[in-house]
């Protein structure tokens, strides 16, 4: 890992360099929520924030996209080759992207995701945690890879970790300076202080076994408030389920194939031919979701979005804590 430092007064110069690479998407405050959207000016960005409404995965896996169109016997794939920059991504979301990489970049490779991932620079930034964050309990509070540059806020300047060849190229600009021992020690001290602000803890040891082996007794009460709306899936940085539909003209000569995000909490998600459904109840769908997030592999990154944005007020950590308590 290489290191540098960047004065905040010189951040606009880096921003202009990033614009020279591609479209820049950064956290922006809109109607009281922070969202990633394209920005033309650094002043539009809100760099000190806790979490965005939707995770940055929407840049690599859009909520809805046309993946091909066809006319007669000819079809055209809609592969995105535009270069882009994701600016201001927190460690938990970078770790979420790495988990998606394993799904979409391992064989069979998803070319639509892969093209966007390869053409996008990721610029990480230290976060402002709140009471819903529990990233340190799931090992996502620090990003060791998955970024081109990672900026640690030191007050008047940033300590910059360089995570890729493109990041190294950017760091060769004259406004980047060599980082010394003082900056390294200050960054480590501030990182410990930031982690100390993350008070929420959860013990996931054996949680997958508890979910898999416990009977359904008590689960009705546990899921009683759930509206099965799928919001928890939509705001999750690591949910990757999608549906594919063909939209045809009446003469079926033309059409397009569209991919949309899907949700395992929706009843139709497990609907199969003949009208059968292998997860017809909210309890069964909740068991499936929890197994996916904290089962054999921990795929939760502790961002807290599913709790913050749940319209029924269901707290993910409290739910898991209840499961552990019931099992004792």
């Amino acid at each position: 890992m290489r290191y540098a430092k960047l004065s905040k007064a010189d951040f606009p110069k880096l921003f202009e360099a990033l614009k020279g690479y591609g479209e820049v998407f950064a956290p922006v405050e809109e109607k009281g929520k922070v969202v990633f959207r394209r920005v033309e000016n650094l002043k539009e960005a809100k760099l000190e924030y806790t979490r965005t409404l939707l995770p940055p995965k929407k840049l690599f896996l859009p909520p809805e996209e046309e993946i091909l169109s066809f006319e007669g016997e000819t079809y055209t794939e809609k592969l995105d080759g535009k270069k882009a920059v994701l600016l201001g991504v927190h460690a938990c979301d970078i770790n979420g992207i790495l988990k998606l990489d394993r799904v979409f970049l391992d064989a069979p490779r998803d070319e639509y995701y892969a093209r966007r991932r390869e053409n996008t620079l990721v610029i990480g930034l230290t976060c402002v945690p709140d009471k819903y964050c529990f990233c340190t309990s799931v090992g996502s509070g620090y990003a060791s890879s998955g970024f081109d540059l990672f900026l640690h806020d030191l007050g008047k300047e940033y300590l910059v970790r360089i995570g890729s060849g493109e990041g190294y190229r950017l760091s060769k600009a004259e406004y980047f300076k060599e980082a010394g021992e003082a900056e390294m020690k200050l960054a480590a001290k501030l990182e410990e202080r930031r982690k100390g602000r993350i008070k929420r803890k959860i013990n996931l040891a054996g949680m997958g076994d508890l979910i898999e082996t416990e009977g359904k007794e008590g689960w009705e009460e546990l899921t009683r408030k759930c509206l099965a709306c799928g919001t928890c899936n939509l705001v999750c940085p690591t949910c990757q389920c999608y549906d594919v539909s063909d939209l045809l003209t009446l003469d079926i000569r033309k059409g397009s194939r569209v991919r949309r995000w899907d949700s395992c909490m929706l009843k139709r998600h497990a609907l199969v031919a003949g009208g059968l459904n292998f997860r017809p109840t909210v309890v069964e769908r909740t068991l499936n979701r929890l197994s996916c997030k904290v089962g054999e592999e921990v795929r939760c990154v502790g961002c807290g979005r599913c709790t913050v944005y749940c319209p029924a007020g269901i707290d993910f950590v409290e739910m898991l804590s209840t499961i552990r308590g019931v099992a004792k």
Side-chain angles (χ1 to χ4, degrees):
M1 184 74 71
R2 291 175 178 271
Y3 303 91
K5 63 180 180 180
L6 173 70
S7 166
K8 287 188 176 178
D10 287 328
F11 200 165
K13 297 176 182 176
L14 171 62
F15 182 78
E16 291 304 314
L18 296 175
K19 281 177 65 178
Y21 178 87
E23 296 177 347
V24 179
F25 295 83
V28 173
E29 189 164 14
E30 291 183 347
K31 299 178 181 178
K33 302 273 191 311
V34 181
V35 300
F36 275 104
R37 73 162 171 81
R38 186 179 177 186
V39 295
E40 289 292 336
N41 191 308
L42 184 58
K43 291 181 179 177
E44 297 176 68
K46 183 178 177 59
L47 297 177
E48 291 189 10
Y49 72 101
T50 299
R51 66 178 63 77
T52 53
L53 175 59
L54 290 181
K57 74 173 181 183
K58 69 177 186 178
L59 273 300
F60 305 118
L61 185 69
E64 178 176 310
E65 63 175 325
E66 182 186 42
I67 55 177
L68 65 83
S69 63
F70 58 92
E71 182 172 359
E73 301 295 324
T74 304
Y75 73 90
T76 305
E77 283 194 278
K78 306 290 185 178
L79 292 168
D80 189 351
K82 288 190 296 187
K83 290 187 178 295
V85 178
L86 257 174
L87 173 63
V89 187
H90 291 163
C92 60
D93 281 336
I94 290 175
N95 282 298
I97 292 170
L98 290 174
K99 291 179 187 299
L100 291 180
D101 285 352
R102 290 179 56 192
V103 175
F104 291 102
L105 299 184
D106 286 352
R109 174 182 159 110
D110 185 298
E111 200 59 37
Y112 306 97
Y113 178 94
R115 290 285 184 95
R116 295 191 182 97
R117 188 74 172 93
E118 290 167 357
N119 288 321
T120 302
L121 296 183
V122 176
I123 312 298
L125 185 66
T126 43
C127 67
V128 182
D130 70 2
K131 63 180 181 181
Y132 297 106
C133 297
F134 58 100
C135 55
T136 52
S137 291
V138 292
S140 296
Y142 193 81
S144 299
S145 62
F147 56 84
D148 295 279
L149 297 176
F150 197 104
L151 312 182
H152 292 265
D153 193 341
L154 303 183
K156 295 181 179 179
E157 61 187 358
Y158 295 103
L159 174 73
V160 183
R161 286 189 288 141
I162 302 164
S164 74
E166 191 62 35
Y168 179 71
R169 185 190 66 78
L170 287 167
S171 75
K172 300 303 288 182
E174 44 82 25
Y175 44 86
F176 279 91
K177 308 298 181 187
E178 185 176 347
E181 185 178 350
E183 288 81 20
M184 300 293 287
K185 285 185 174 178
L186 179 57
K189 178 182 176 182
L190 294 177
E191 185 65 17
E192 283 304 307
R193 185 180 299 173
R194 184 187 64 80
K195 287 182 179 177
R197 293 174 59 191
I198 302 171
K199 304 295 185 185
R200 216 162 208 217
K201 308 292 180 189
I202 184 167
N203 177 12
L204 292 177
M207 183 60 72
D209 294 330
L210 292 175
I211 294 169
E212 294 290 338
T213 56
E214 284 298 300
K216 291 180 182 175
E217 186 180 351
W219 281 87
E220 293 286 352
E221 179 60 24
L222 202 61
T223 59
R224 182 180 53 80
K225 292 197 302 181
C226 180
L227 304 174
C229 63
T231 298
C232 50
N233 298 121
L234 299 183
V235 300
C236 177
T238 64
C239 276
Q240 78 271 358
C241 289
Y242 60 82
D243 195 9
V244 175
S245 304
D246 286 341
L247 307 177
L248 307 175
T249 57
L250 287 177
D251 62 3
I252 64 171
R253 293 289 303 165
K254 297 181 182 178
S256 61
R257 180 160 291 175
V258 177
R259 170 159 75 174
R260 300 186 184 89
W261 288 0
D262 204 350
S263 163
C264 62
M265 287 304 295
L266 299 181
K267 189 173 184 178
R268 61 170 176 74
H269 186 266
L271 192 64
V272 295
L276 300 176
N277 195 318
F278 50 90
R279 287 194 291 270
T281 67
V282 174
V283 168
E284 288 162 311
R285 296 198 289 278
T286 301
L287 280 166
N288 171 71
R289 174 171 171 262
L290 295 182
S291 294
C292 178
K293 295 302 165 191
V294 294
E296 291 184 7
E297 177 186 358
V298 176
R299 291 181 51 76
C300 173
V301 294
C303 67
R305 284 186 179 91
C306 57
T307 295
V308 172
Y309 296 113
C310 176
I314 295 173
D315 188 310
F316 184 71
V317 171
E318 286 183 5
M319 177 180 275
L320 294 178
S321 299
T322 301
I323 292 169
R324 181 169 294 283
V326 167
K328 284 179 180 177

